[in-house]
Amino acid sequence: MSVAIDDDVWSAVGDPTRRRMLDLLLTDGSGTATTLSDKLPVTRQAVAKHLGVLDRVGLVRARPSGRERLYTVDESQLAHAVAQLADVSETWDRRLQRIKRIAETIQRTRESKN
């Protein structure tokens, strides 16, 4: 199976603060910029900007909750991202196995000449 890699998603997930926010949202089920900023070493405004990035790539969804927006992880988009990562992992495993076979062939050739 080959899954197209979404560079925007991985750029968003590449930030450690955004990864921590996703962890918190998955653990707590949902959160607002205020509740997340209480658990992170960044301001509420910074959290809101990070949530905007995650929302643009579809990893979180927001709905109004009083004066704030309540964010939840979009599980289908997260599952798609996990599938992308698994595909990359499988591709690299195949490449590394090929490199290993080549190295072993070279080693056997050298040993047979001695």
Side-chain angles (χ1 to χ4, degrees), residues 86-99:
D87 191 52
V88 168
S89 176
E90 290 173 21
T91 299
W92 276 102
D93 284 347
R94 285 191 303 273
R95 289 175 182 166
L96 291 171
Q97 284 299 320
R98 184 167 183 247
I99 291 169

Side-chain angles (χ1 to χ4, degrees), residues 93-108:
D93 284 347
R94 285 191 303 273
R95 289 175 182 166
L96 291 171
Q97 284 299 320
R98 184 167 183 247
I99 291 169
K100 180 182 177 191
R101 285 192 304 273
I102 291 168
E104 288 170 344
T105 299
I106 291 169
Q107 183 65 31
R108 281 193 303 273

